[in-house]
Amino acid sequence: MSVTANSVWKNCLAFIQDNIQPQAFKTWFEPIKPVKLSDNALSIQVPSKFFYEWLEEHYVKLLKVALTKELGENAKLVYIIKMENTYGNREPFTEQ
């Protein structure tokens, strides 16, 4: 099986789910979408800037451990923030 953003994120989620409360997992990890994987960097899309800040404040260590388990010591996590209110654009505006 080739390593993809989806497979890496799925394995990270399995590890994270074992380490936090079910409600926290549902709230903070289920809405995240893996976007791409390149050079040990996993890009994930989060619903808002607040969401990103909450993850960084409360779950950064857990995310790092999960990602390091999957991708090794040089693993990186890139957030793509889906912006709300796109003024009629079909594609949501994203910020990296």
Coordinates of all heavy atoms in Angstrom, one line a residue:
M1 N 0.8 -1.2 0.0 CA 0.0 0.0 0.0 C 0.9 1.3 0.0 O 1.8 1.4 0.8 CB -0.9 0.0 1.3 CG -1.9 1.1 1.3 SD -2.8 1.1 2.8 CE -2.1 2.5 3.6
S2 N 0.6 2.2 -0.9 CA 1.4 3.4 -0.9 C 0.9 4.3 0.2 O -0.2 4.3 0.6 CB 1.2 4.1 -2.3 OG -0.1 4.6 -2.4
V3 N 1.8 5.1 0.7 CA 1.5 6.1 1.7 C 0.9 7.3 1.1 O 1.5 8.0 0.3 CB 2.9 6.4 2.5 CG1 2.6 7.5 3.6 CG2 3.5 5.2 3.1
T4 N -0.3 7.6 1.6 CA -1.0 8.8 1.1 C -1.4 9.7 2.3 O -1.3 9.3 3.4 CB -2.3 8.4 0.4 OG1 -3.2 7.8 1.3 CG2 -2.0 7.5 -0.8
A5 N -1.8 10.9 2.0 CA -2.3 11.8 3.1 C -3.4 11.1 3.9 O -3.4 11.2 5.1 CB -2.8 13.1 2.5
N6 N -4.3 10.5 3.1 CA -5.4 9.8 3.8 C -4.9 8.7 4.7 O -5.4 8.6 5.9 CB -6.4 9.2 2.8 CG -7.4 10.2 2.3 OD1 -7.7 11.2 3.0 ND2 -7.9 10.0 1.1
S7 N -4.0 7.8 4.3 CA -3.6 6.7 5.1 C -2.8 7.2 6.3 O -3.0 6.7 7.4 CB -2.7 5.7 4.3 OG -1.5 6.3 3.8
V8 N -1.9 8.2 6.1 CA -1.2 8.7 7.3 C -2.1 9.4 8.3 O -2.0 9.1 9.5 CB -0.1 9.8 6.8 CG1 0.4 10.6 7.9 CG2 1.0 9.1 6.0
W9 N -3.1 10.2 7.8 CA -4.0 10.8 8.7 C -4.9 9.8 9.4 O -5.2 9.9 10.6 CB -4.8 11.9 8.0 CG -5.7 12.6 8.9 CD1 -7.1 12.7 8.9 CD2 -5.3 13.4 10.0 NE1 -7.5 13.5 9.9 CE2 -6.5 14.0 10.6 CE3 -4.1 13.8 10.5 CZ2 -6.5 14.8 11.7 CZ3 -4.1 14.6 11.7 CH2 -5.2 15.1 12.2
K10 N -5.3 8.8 8.7 CA -6.1 7.7 9.3 C -5.4 7.0 10.5 O -5.9 6.8 11.5 CB -6.5 6.7 8.2 CG -7.6 5.7 8.6 CD -8.0 4.9 7.4 CE -8.7 3.7 7.9 NZ -8.9 2.7 6.8
N11 N -4.1 6.8 10.3 CA -3.3 6.1 11.3 C -3.1 7.1 12.5 O -3.1 6.7 13.7 CB -1.9 5.7 10.8 CG -2.1 4.5 9.8 OD1 -3.1 3.8 9.9 ND2 -1.1 4.3 9.0
C12 N -2.9 8.4 12.2 CA -2.7 9.4 13.2 C -4.0 9.5 14.1 O -4.0 9.5 15.3 CB -2.4 10.8 12.6 SG -0.8 11.0 12.0
L13 N -5.2 9.5 13.4 CA -6.4 9.5 14.1 C -6.7 8.3 15.0 O -7.2 8.5 16.1 CB -7.6 9.6 13.1 CG -7.8 10.9 12.4 CD1 -9.0 10.8 11.4 CD2 -8.1 12.0 13.4
A14 N -6.2 7.2 14.6 CA -6.4 6.0 15.4 C -5.6 6.1 16.7 O -6.1 5.8 17.8 CB -5.9 4.7 14.7
F15 N -4.4 6.7 16.6 CA -3.5 6.9 17.8 C -4.2 8.0 18.7 O -4.3 7.9 19.9 CB -2.1 7.4 17.3 CG -1.2 7.8 18.5 CD1 -0.6 6.8 19.3 CD2 -1.0 9.1 18.7 CE1 0.2 7.2 20.3 CE2 -0.2 9.5 19.8 CZ 0.4 8.5 20.6
I16 N -4.6 9.1 18.0 CA -5.2 10.2 18.8 C -6.5 9.8 19.5 O -6.7 10.1 20.7 CB -5.5 11.4 17.8 CG1 -4.2 12.0 17.4 CG2 -6.4 12.4 18.5 CD1 -4.3 12.9 16.2
Q17 N -7.3 9.0 18.8 CA -8.5 8.5 19.4 C -8.3 7.7 20.7 O -9.1 7.7 21.6 CB -9.3 7.7 18.4 CG -10.7 7.4 18.8 CD -11.6 6.9 17.6 OE1 -11.0 6.4 16.6 NE2 -12.9 6.9 17.7
D18 N -7.2 6.9 20.7 CA -6.9 6.2 21.9 C -6.4 7.0 23.1 O -6.3 6.5 24.2 CB -5.7 5.1 21.6 CG -6.3 4.0 20.7 OD1 -7.5 3.8 20.7 OD2 -5.4 3.3 20.1
N19 N -6.1 8.3 22.8 CA -5.5 9.1 23.8 C -6.3 10.3 24.3 O -5.8 11.1 25.1 CB -4.1 9.6 23.3 CG -3.1 8.5 23.3 OD1 -2.5 8.1 24.3 ND2 -2.9 7.9 22.1
I20 N -7.5 10.5 23.8 CA -8.3 11.6 24.2 C -9.8 11.1 24.4 O -10.1 10.0 24.0 CB -8.3 12.8 23.3 CG1 -8.9 12.5 21.9 CG2 -6.9 13.4 23.2 CD1 -9.1 13.7 21.1
Q21 N -10.6 11.9 25.1 CA -12.0 11.6 25.3 C -12.8 11.6 24.0 O -12.5 12.3 23.0 CB -12.7 12.7 26.2 CG -12.1 12.8 27.6 CD -12.4 11.5 28.3 OE1 -13.5 11.0 28.3 NE2 -11.4 11.1 29.1
P22 N -13.7 10.7 23.9 CA -14.5 10.5 22.6 C -15.1 11.8 22.1 O -15.1 12.1 20.9 CB -15.6 9.5 22.9 CG -15.0 8.7 24.1 CD -14.1 9.7 24.9
Q23 N -15.7 12.6 23.0 CA -16.3 13.9 22.6 C -15.3 14.9 22.1 O -15.6 15.5 21.1 CB -17.1 14.5 23.8 CG -17.9 15.7 23.4 CD -19.0 15.4 22.3 OE1 -19.7 14.4 22.4 NE2 -19.0 16.2 21.3
A24 N -14.1 14.9 22.7 CA -13.1 15.8 22.2 C -12.6 15.4 20.8 O -12.4 16.2 19.9 CB -11.9 15.8 23.1
F25 N -12.5 14.1 20.6 CA -12.1 13.5 19.3 C -13.1 13.9 18.2 O -12.8 14.4 17.2 CB -12.0 12.0 19.4 CG -11.6 11.4 18.1 CD1 -10.2 11.4 17.7 CD2 -12.5 10.8 17.2 CE1 -9.8 10.9 16.5 CE2 -12.1 10.3 16.0 CZ -10.8 10.3 15.6
K26 N -14.4 13.7 18.6 CA -15.5 14.0 17.6 C -15.5 15.5 17.2 O -15.6 15.9 16.1 CB -16.8 13.6 18.2 CG -18.0 13.6 17.3 CD -19.2 13.0 18.0 CE -20.4 12.9 17.2 NZ -20.3 12.4 15.8
T27 N -15.3 16.4 18.2 CA -15.3 17.8 18.0 C -14.1 18.3 17.3 O -14.3 19.1 16.3 CB -15.4 18.5 19.4 OG1 -16.6 18.1 20.1 CG2 -15.5 20.0 19.2
W28 N -12.9 17.9 17.7 CA -11.7 18.5 17.2 C -11.0 17.8 16.1 O -10.1 18.3 15.4 CB -10.8 18.8 18.3 CG -11.4 19.8 19.3 CD1 -11.9 19.6 20.5 CD2 -11.7 21.2 19.0 NE1 -12.4 20.7 21.0 CE2 -12.3 21.7 20.1 CE3 -11.4 22.0 17.9 CZ2 -12.7 23.0 20.2 CZ3 -11.8 23.3 18.0 CH2 -12.5 23.8 19.1
F29 N -11.2 16.5 15.9 CA -10.5 15.7 14.9 C -11.3 15.2 13.8 O -10.8 15.1 12.7 CB -9.7 14.6 15.6 CG -8.6 15.2 16.5 CD1 -8.8 15.4 17.8 CD2 -7.4 15.5 15.9 CE1 -7.8 16.0 18.6 CE2 -6.4 16.1 16.7 CZ -6.6 16.3 18.1
E30 N -12.5 14.9 14.0 CA -13.4 14.4 12.9 C -13.5 15.4 11.7 O -13.6 15.0 10.6 CB -14.7 13.8 13.4 CG -14.6 12.5 14.0 CD -15.9 11.9 14.4 OE1 -17.0 12.5 14.1 OE2 -15.9 10.8 15.0
P31 N -13.7 16.7 12.0 CA -13.8 17.6 10.9 C -12.6 17.9 10.1 O -12.7 18.5 9.0 CB -14.2 18.9 11.6 CG -14.6 18.5 13.0 CD -13.8 17.3 13.3
I32 N -11.4 17.4 10.5 CA -10.2 17.7 9.8 C -10.1 16.8 8.5 O -10.4 15.6 8.6 CB -9.0 17.5 10.7 CG1 -9.0 18.4 11.9 CG2 -7.7 17.6 9.9 CD1 -7.9 18.1 12.9
K33 N -9.7 17.4 7.4 CA -9.5 16.7 6.2 C -8.1 16.6 5.8 O -7.4 17.7 5.7 CB -10.4 17.3 5.1 CG -11.9 17.2 5.3 CD -12.6 17.8 4.1 CE -14.1 17.7 4.2 NZ -14.7 18.0 5.5
P34 N -7.5 15.5 5.5 CA -6.1 15.4 5.0 C -6.2 15.9 3.5 O -7.1 15.6 2.8 CB -5.8 13.9 5.0 CG -7.1 13.2 5.0 CD -8.1 14.1 5.6
V35 N -5.2 16.7 3.2 CA -5.2 17.3 1.8 C -4.1 16.7 1.0 O -4.3 16.3 -0.1 CB -5.1 18.9 1.9 CG1 -5.0 19.5 0.5 CG2 -6.3 19.4 2.7
K36 N -2.8 16.8 1.5 CA -1.7 16.2 0.7 C -0.6 15.9 1.6 O -0.5 16.3 2.7 CB -1.3 17.2 -0.4 CG -0.5 18.4 0.0 CD -0.1 19.2 -1.1 CE 0.8 20.3 -0.6 NZ 1.3 21.2 -1.6
L37 N 0.3 15.0 1.0 CA 1.5 14.6 1.7 C 2.6 14.8 0.8 O 2.6 14.3 -0.3 CB 1.3 13.1 2.1 CG 2.5 12.5 2.8 CD1 2.7 13.0 4.2 CD2 2.3 11.0 2.9
S38 N 3.6 15.6 1.2 CA 4.9 15.7 0.4 C 6.0 16.0 1.3 O 6.0 16.8 2.2 CB 4.7 16.9 -0.6 OG 4.5 18.1 0.1
D39 N 7.1 15.3 1.1 CA 8.4 15.5 1.8 C 8.1 15.5 3.4 O 8.5 16.4 4.0 CB 9.1 16.8 1.5 CG 9.4 16.9 0.0 OD1 9.7 15.8 -0.6 OD2 9.4 17.9 -0.6
N40 N 7.5 14.5 3.9 CA 7.3 14.3 5.3 C 6.4 15.4 5.9 O 6.4 15.7 7.1 CB 8.6 14.2 6.1 CG 9.1 12.8 6.0 OD1 8.5 11.9 5.5 ND2 10.3 12.7 6.6
A41 N 5.7 16.2 5.0 CA 4.8 17.2 5.5 C 3.4 16.8 5.1 O 3.0 16.6 4.0 CB 5.1 18.6 4.9
L42 N 2.5 16.7 6.2 CA 1.1 16.4 6.0 C 0.3 17.7 6.0 O 0.4 18.4 7.0 CB 0.6 15.4 7.0 CG -0.9 15.1 7.0 CD1 -1.2 14.3 5.7 CD2 -1.3 14.2 8.2
S43 N -0.4 18.0 5.0 CA -1.3 19.2 5.0 C -2.7 18.7 5.3 O -3.2 17.8 4.7 CB -1.3 19.8 3.6 OG 0.0 20.2 3.2
I44 N -3.2 19.4 6.3 CA -4.6 19.1 6.7 C -5.4 20.4 6.7 O -4.9 21.5 6.9 CB -4.7 18.5 8.2 CG1 -4.1 19.5 9.2 CG2 -4.0 17.2 8.2 CD1 -4.3 19.1 10.6
Q45 N -6.7 20.2 6.3 CA -7.6 21.4 6.2 C -8.5 21.4 7.5 O -9.1 20.4 7.9 CB -8.5 21.3 5.0 CG -9.4 22.4 4.8 CD -10.2 22.3 3.5 OE1 -9.7 22.3 2.5 NE2 -11.5 22.3 3.7
V46 N -8.5 22.6 8.1 CA -9.3 22.8 9.3 C -10.4 23.8 9.0 O -10.2 24.7 8.1 CB -8.5 23.2 10.5 CG1 -7.5 22.1 10.9 CG2 -7.7 24.5 10.2
P47 N -11.5 23.8 9.7 CA -12.7 24.6 9.3 C -12.5 26.1 9.6 O -13.2 26.9 9.0 CB -13.8 24.1 10.2 CG -13.4 22.8 10.7 CD -11.9 22.8 10.7
S48 N -11.6 26.5 10.5 CA -11.5 27.9 10.8 C -10.2 28.2 11.5 O -9.5 27.3 12.0 CB -12.6 28.4 11.7 OG -12.5 27.7 13.0
K49 N -9.9 29.5 11.6 CA -8.7 30.0 12.3 C -8.8 29.6 13.8 O -7.8 29.2 14.4 CB -8.5 31.5 12.1 CG -7.1 32.0 12.6 CD -7.0 33.4 12.0 CE -5.8 34.1 12.4 NZ -4.6 33.5 12.7
F50 N -9.9 29.8 14.4 CA -10.2 29.4 15.8 C -9.8 27.9 16.0 O -9.2 27.6 17.0 CB -11.6 29.7 16.2 CG -12.0 29.1 17.6 CD1 -11.5 29.8 18.7 CD2 -12.7 28.0 17.7 CE1 -11.8 29.2 20.0 CE2 -13.0 27.4 18.9 CZ -12.5 28.0 20.1
F51 N -10.3 27.1 15.1 CA -10.1 25.7 15.2 C -8.6 25.4 15.2 O -8.1 24.6 16.0 CB -10.7 25.0 13.9 CG -11.1 23.6 14.1 CD1 -12.4 23.2 14.4 CD2 -10.2 22.6 13.8 CE1 -12.7 21.9 14.5 CE2 -10.5 21.3 13.9 CZ -11.8 20.9 14.3
Y52 N -7.9 26.0 14.3 CA -6.4 25.8 14.2 C -5.7 26.3 15.5 O -4.9 25.6 16.0 CB -5.9 26.6 13.0 CG -4.5 27.1 13.2 CD1 -3.4 26.2 13.1 CD2 -4.2 28.5 13.4 CE1 -2.1 26.7 13.2 CE2 -2.9 28.9 13.6 CZ -1.9 28.0 13.5 OH -0.6 28.4 13.7
E53 N -6.2 27.4 16.0 CA -5.6 27.9 17.3 C -5.8 27.0 18.5 O -5.0 26.7 19.3 CB -6.1 29.3 17.6 CG -5.5 30.4 16.6 CD -6.2 31.7 16.6 OE1 -7.2 31.8 17.3 OE2 -5.7 32.6 15.9
W54 N -7.0 26.4 18.5 CA -7.4 25.5 19.6 C -6.5 24.2 19.5 O -6.0 23.8 20.5 CB -8.9 25.1 19.5 CG -9.3 24.2 20.6 CD1 -9.3 22.9 20.6 CD2 -9.8 24.6 21.9 NE1 -9.7 22.4 21.8 CE2 -10.1 23.4 22.6 CE3 -10.1 25.8 22.5 CZ2 -10.6 23.4 23.9 CZ3 -10.6 25.8 23.8 CH2 -10.9 24.6 24.4
L55 N -6.4 23.7 18.3 CA -5.5 22.5 18.1 C -4.1 22.8 18.6 O -3.5 22.0 19.3 CB -5.5 22.1 16.7 CG -6.8 21.4 16.1 CD1 -6.7 21.2 14.6 CD2 -7.1 20.1 16.9
E56 N -3.6 23.9 18.2 CA -2.2 24.3 18.5 C -2.0 24.5 20.0 O -1.0 24.1 20.6 CB -1.8 25.6 17.8 CG -1.4 25.3 16.4 CD 0.0 24.6 16.3 OE1 1.0 25.2 16.6 OE2 -0.1 23.5 15.8
E57 N -3.1 25.0 20.7 CA -3.0 25.3 22.1 C -3.2 24.0 22.9 O -2.5 23.8 24.0 CB -4.0 26.3 22.5 CG -3.8 26.9 23.8 CD -4.8 28.0 24.1 OE1 -5.0 28.9 23.2 OE2 -5.4 28.1 25.2
H58 N -4.1 23.1 22.5 CA -4.4 22.0 23.3 C -3.9 20.6 22.9 O -3.8 19.7 23.7 CB -6.0 21.9 23.5 CG -6.6 23.1 24.1 ND1 -6.9 24.2 23.5 CD2 -6.8 23.3 25.5 CE1 -7.4 25.1 24.3 NE2 -7.3 24.5 25.6
Y59 N -3.7 20.5 21.6 CA -3.3 19.1 21.1 C -2.0 19.1 20.3 O -1.8 18.1 19.6 CB -4.5 18.6 20.2 CG -5.7 18.4 21.0 CD1 -6.9 19.2 20.7 CD2 -5.8 17.5 22.0 CE1 -8.0 19.0 21.5 CE2 -7.0 17.3 22.7 CZ -8.1 18.1 22.4 OH -9.2 17.9 23.2
V60 N -1.2 20.1 20.4 CA 0.0 20.1 19.5 C 0.9 19.0 19.9 O 1.5 18.4 18.9 CB 0.7 21.5 19.6 CG1 1.3 21.7 21.0 CG2 1.7 21.7 18.5
K61 N 1.1 18.6 21.1 CA 2.0 17.5 21.5 C 1.5 16.2 21.0 O 2.2 15.4 20.4 CB 2.2 17.5 23.0 CG 3.1 18.6 23.5 CD 3.4 18.3 25.0 CE 4.3 19.4 25.5 NZ 3.7 20.3 26.5
L62 N 0.2 16.0 21.1 CA -0.4 14.7 20.7 C -0.3 14.6 19.2 O 0.0 13.5 18.6 CB -1.9 14.7 21.1 CG -2.7 13.4 20.8 CD1 -2.1 12.2 21.5 CD2 -4.2 13.6 21.3
L63 N -0.6 15.7 18.5 CA -0.4 15.7 17.0 C 1.0 15.4 16.6 O 1.2 14.6 15.6 CB -0.9 17.1 16.4 CG -2.4 17.3 16.3 CD1 -2.7 18.7 16.2 CD2 -3.0 16.5 15.1
K64 N 1.9 16.0 17.3 CA 3.4 15.8 16.9 C 3.7 14.3 17.2 O 4.4 13.7 16.3 CB 4.2 16.7 17.8 CG 5.7 16.6 17.4 CD 6.5 17.8 17.8 CE 8.0 17.7 17.4 NZ 8.2 17.3 16.1
V65 N 3.3 13.7 18.3 CA 3.6 12.3 18.6 C 3.0 11.4 17.5 O 3.7 10.5 16.9 CB 3.2 11.9 20.0 CG1 3.3 10.4 20.2 CG2 4.0 12.6 21.0
A66 N 1.8 11.7 17.2 CA 1.1 10.8 16.1 C 1.8 10.9 14.8 O 2.0 9.9 14.1 CB -0.4 11.3 16.0
L67 N 2.1 12.2 14.4 CA 2.8 12.4 13.1 C 4.2 11.8 13.1 O 4.6 11.2 12.1 CB 2.8 13.9 12.8 CG 2.7 14.3 11.4 CD1 1.4 13.7 10.7 CD2 2.7 15.8 11.2
T68 N 4.9 11.9 14.2 CA 6.3 11.4 14.2 C 6.2 9.9 14.1 O 7.1 9.2 13.5 CB 7.0 11.8 15.5 OG1 7.0 13.3 15.6 CG2 8.4 11.3 15.6
K69 N 5.2 9.2 14.7 CA 5.0 7.8 14.6 C 4.8 7.4 13.2 O 5.4 6.3 12.7 CB 3.8 7.3 15.4 CG 4.1 6.9 16.9 CD 2.8 6.7 17.6 CE 1.9 5.7 17.0 NZ 2.2 4.3 17.3
E70 N 4.1 8.2 12.4 CA 3.8 7.8 11.0 C 4.9 8.2 10.0 O 5.2 7.4 9.1 CB 2.5 8.5 10.6 CG 1.3 7.9 11.2 CD 1.2 6.4 11.0 OE1 1.2 6.0 9.8 OE2 1.0 5.7 12.0
L71 N 5.5 9.4 10.2 CA 6.4 9.9 9.2 C 7.9 10.0 9.7 O 8.7 10.4 8.9 CB 5.9 11.3 8.7 CG 4.5 11.3 8.0 CD1 4.1 12.7 7.7 CD2 4.6 10.4 6.8
G72 N 8.1 9.8 10.9 CA 9.5 9.9 11.4 C 9.8 11.3 12.0 O 8.9 12.2 12.1
E73 N 11.0 11.4 12.5 CA 11.4 12.6 13.2 C 11.3 13.9 12.5 O 11.1 15.0 13.0 CB 12.9 12.5 13.6 CG 13.1 11.5 14.8 CD 12.4 12.0 16.1 OE1 12.4 13.2 16.4 OE2 11.8 11.1 16.7
N74 N 11.4 13.9 11.1 CA 11.3 15.1 10.4 C 9.9 15.5 9.9 O 9.7 16.3 9.1 CB 12.2 15.0 9.1 CG 13.6 14.9 9.5 OD1 14.1 15.4 10.5 ND2 14.4 14.1 8.7
A75 N 8.9 14.9 10.5 CA 7.5 15.1 10.1 C 7.1 16.5 10.4 O 7.5 17.1 11.4 CB 6.6 14.1 10.9
K76 N 6.3 17.1 9.5 CA 5.7 18.4 9.7 C 4.2 18.4 9.4 O 3.7 17.6 8.6 CB 6.4 19.4 8.6 CG 7.8 19.7 8.8 CD 8.2 20.9 7.9 CE 9.7 21.0 7.7 NZ 10.2 20.1 6.8
L77 N 3.5 19.3 10.1 CA 2.1 19.4 9.9 C 1.8 20.8 9.3 O 2.3 21.8 9.9 CB 1.4 19.2 11.2 CG -0.1 19.1 11.2 CD1 -0.6 17.9 10.3 CD2 -0.7 19.0 12.6
V78 N 1.1 20.9 8.2 CA 0.8 22.1 7.6 C -0.7 22.3 7.7 O -1.5 21.4 7.3 CB 1.2 22.1 6.1 CG1 0.8 23.4 5.4 CG2 2.7 21.9 6.0
Y79 N -1.2 23.4 8.2 CA -2.6 23.7 8.3 C -3.1 24.5 7.2 O -2.4 25.4 6.8 CB -2.9 24.5 9.6 CG -2.7 23.8 10.9 CD1 -1.4 23.9 11.6 CD2 -3.7 23.0 11.4 CE1 -1.2 23.2 12.8 CE2 -3.4 22.3 12.7 CZ -2.2 22.4 13.3 OH -2.0 21.8 14.5
I80 N -4.2 24.1 6.6 CA -4.8 24.9 5.6 C -6.2 25.3 6.2 O -7.0 24.5 6.6 CB -5.1 24.1 4.3 CG1 -3.7 23.7 3.7 CG2 -5.9 24.9 3.3 CD1 -3.8 22.7 2.6
I81 N -6.3 26.6 6.4 CA -7.5 27.1 7.1 C -8.6 27.5 6.0 O -8.4 28.3 5.2 CB -7.2 28.3 8.0 CG1 -6.1 27.9 9.0 CG2 -8.5 28.8 8.6 CD1 -5.5 29.1 9.7
K82 N -9.7 26.8 6.1 CA -10.8 27.1 5.2 C -11.5 28.4 5.7 O -12.0 28.4 6.9 CB -11.8 25.9 5.2 CG -12.9 26.0 4.2 CD -13.7 24.7 4.2 CE -14.9 24.9 3.3 NZ -15.7 23.7 3.3
M83 N -11.6 29.4 4.9 CA -12.1 30.6 5.4 C -13.6 30.7 5.1 O -14.1 30.2 4.0 CB -11.5 31.8 4.6 CG -10.0 31.8 4.8 SD -9.4 31.9 6.5 CE -9.0 33.6 6.5
E84 N -14.4 31.2 6.0 CA -15.8 31.4 5.8 C -16.1 32.6 5.0 O -15.2 33.5 4.8 CB -16.5 31.4 7.2 CG -16.3 30.2 8.0 CD -16.7 28.9 7.3 OE1 -17.8 28.9 6.7 OE2 -16.0 27.9 7.5
N85 N -17.3 32.8 4.6 CA -17.8 34.0 3.9 C -16.9 34.3 2.7 O -16.1 35.2 2.7 CB -17.7 35.2 4.9 CG -18.6 36.3 4.3 OD1 -19.1 36.2 3.2 ND2 -18.7 37.4 5.1
T86 N -17.1 33.5 1.6 CA -16.3 33.6 0.5 C -16.9 34.5 -0.6 O -16.5 34.5 -1.8 CB -16.0 32.2 -0.1 OG1 -17.2 31.6 -0.4 CG2 -15.1 31.4 0.8
Y87 N -17.8 35.3 -0.2 CA -18.4 36.3 -1.2 C -18.9 35.7 -2.5 O -18.5 36.2 -3.5 CB -17.4 37.5 -1.4 CG -17.0 38.2 -0.1 CD1 -15.8 37.9 0.4 CD2 -17.9 39.0 0.6 CE1 -15.4 38.5 1.6 CE2 -17.6 39.6 1.8 CZ -16.3 39.4 2.3 OH -16.0 39.9 3.5
G88 N -19.6 34.6 -2.4 CA -20.1 34.0 -3.6 C -19.2 33.2 -4.4 O -19.6 32.7 -5.5
N89 N -18.0 33.1 -4.0 CA -17.0 32.2 -4.8 C -17.4 30.8 -4.6 O -17.9 30.4 -3.5 CB -15.6 32.4 -4.3 CG -15.1 33.8 -4.6 OD1 -15.5 34.4 -5.5 ND2 -14.1 34.2 -3.8
R90 N -17.3 30.0 -5.6 CA -17.6 28.6 -5.4 C -16.6 27.8 -4.6 O -17.0 27.0 -3.8 CB -17.7 27.9 -6.8 CG -18.9 28.4 -7.6 CD -19.5 27.3 -8.4 NE -20.8 27.7 -9.0 CZ -21.0 28.1 -10.2 NH1 -20.0 28.1 -11.1 NH2 -22.1 28.5 -10.6
E91 N -15.4 28.1 -4.8 CA -14.3 27.4 -4.0 C -14.0 28.2 -2.8 O -13.9 29.4 -2.8 CB -13.0 27.4 -4.9 CG -13.0 26.4 -6.0 CD -13.2 25.0 -5.5 OE1 -12.4 24.5 -4.7 OE2 -14.1 24.3 -6.0
P92 N -14.0 27.6 -1.6 CA -13.7 28.3 -0.4 C -12.2 28.8 -0.4 O -11.3 28.2 -1.0 CB -13.8 27.3 0.7 CG -13.7 25.9 0.0 CD -14.1 26.1 -1.4
F93 N -12.1 30.0 0.1 CA -10.8 30.6 0.2 C -10.0 29.9 1.3 O -10.5 29.6 2.3 CB -10.9 32.1 0.5 CG -9.6 32.8 0.7 CD1 -8.8 33.1 -0.3 CD2 -9.2 33.1 2.0 CE1 -7.6 33.8 -0.2 CE2 -8.0 33.8 2.2 CZ -7.2 34.1 1.1
T94 N -8.7 29.6 1.0 CA -7.9 28.9 2.1 C -6.7 29.7 2.3 O -6.2 30.4 1.5 CB -7.6 27.5 1.7 OG1 -6.8 27.5 0.5 CG2 -8.8 26.6 1.5
E95 N -6.2 29.5 3.6 CA -5.0 30.2 4.0 C -4.1 29.2 4.6 O -4.5 28.3 5.3 CB -5.4 31.2 5.1 CG -4.2 32.0 5.7 CD -4.7 32.9 6.8 OE1 -5.6 33.8 6.5 OE2 -4.2 32.8 7.9
Q96 N -2.8 29.3 4.2 CA -1.8 28.3 4.7 C -0.9 28.9 5.8 O -0.6 30.0 5.8 CB -0.9 27.8 3.6 CG -0.9 26.3 3.6 CD -0.4 25.8 2.2 OE1 -0.8 26.2 1.2 NE2 0.5 24.8 2.3

